[in-house]
Each structure stands twice: as structure tokens, then as C-alpha cells.
């Protein structure tokens, strides 16, 4: 496993821990999108956010 994939999993775990400590019913549904994208990126190696920024024009 690469360091980049491990970083995706770590950030997703921290976000989900924060959601859990706040309360699963109190947070907005959109806050679940970020950990889902990061877990997907960690498993597949394809980061949707990075792809979006590259299409916009960032390097």
C-alpha cells in the first residue's frame, strides 16, 4: 500500500470519527461524501477530487 492511499484512509477515518462524535443524525448528509470519496480513492487508487482539479486546469 502506498503512502498516498494510506493518507486517504487516515483522513477518511478522522472525518468519520468526527461525524460519530458529533452524532450520526446531526450532521448534514453531504459530509458523508468526502469520506466515501477518500475510501474509494484508497481502494482503487483513483482520486475523484484530483481528477476534477486536473480537468479544471490545476497541475
Amino acid at each position: 500500500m502506498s503512502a498516498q492511499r494510506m493518507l486517504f484512509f487516515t483522513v477518511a477515518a478522522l472525518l468519520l470519527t468526527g461525524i460519530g462524535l458529533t452524532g450520526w443524525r446531526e450532521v448534514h448528509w453531504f459530509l458523508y461524501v468526502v469520506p466515501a470519496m477518500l475510501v474509494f480513492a484508497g481502494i482503487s487508487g483513483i482520486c475523484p477530487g484530483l481528477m476534477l482539479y486536473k480537468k479544471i486546469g490545476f497541475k
Side-chain angles (χ1 to χ4, degrees):
M1 178 174 293
S2 68
Q4 185 177 12
R5 286 186 177 188
M6 195 61 208
L7 177 67
F8 291 149
F9 285 128
T10 303
V11 173
L14 288 171
L15 283 169
L16 289 173
T17 301
I19 290 170
L21 290 173
T22 302
W24 296 101
R25 294 183 182 189
E26 282 78 25
V27 297
H28 194 270
W29 66 267
F30 191 71
L31 196 55
Y32 296 107
V33 172
V34 176
M37 285 176 39
L38 289 171
V39 169
F40 174 76
I43 293 171
S44 68
I46 302 168
C47 183
L50 185 61
M51 290 174 57
L52 174 70
Y53 284 131
K54 284 185 178 180
K55 285 189 183 245
I56 291 174
F58 292 99
K59 292 184 179 182

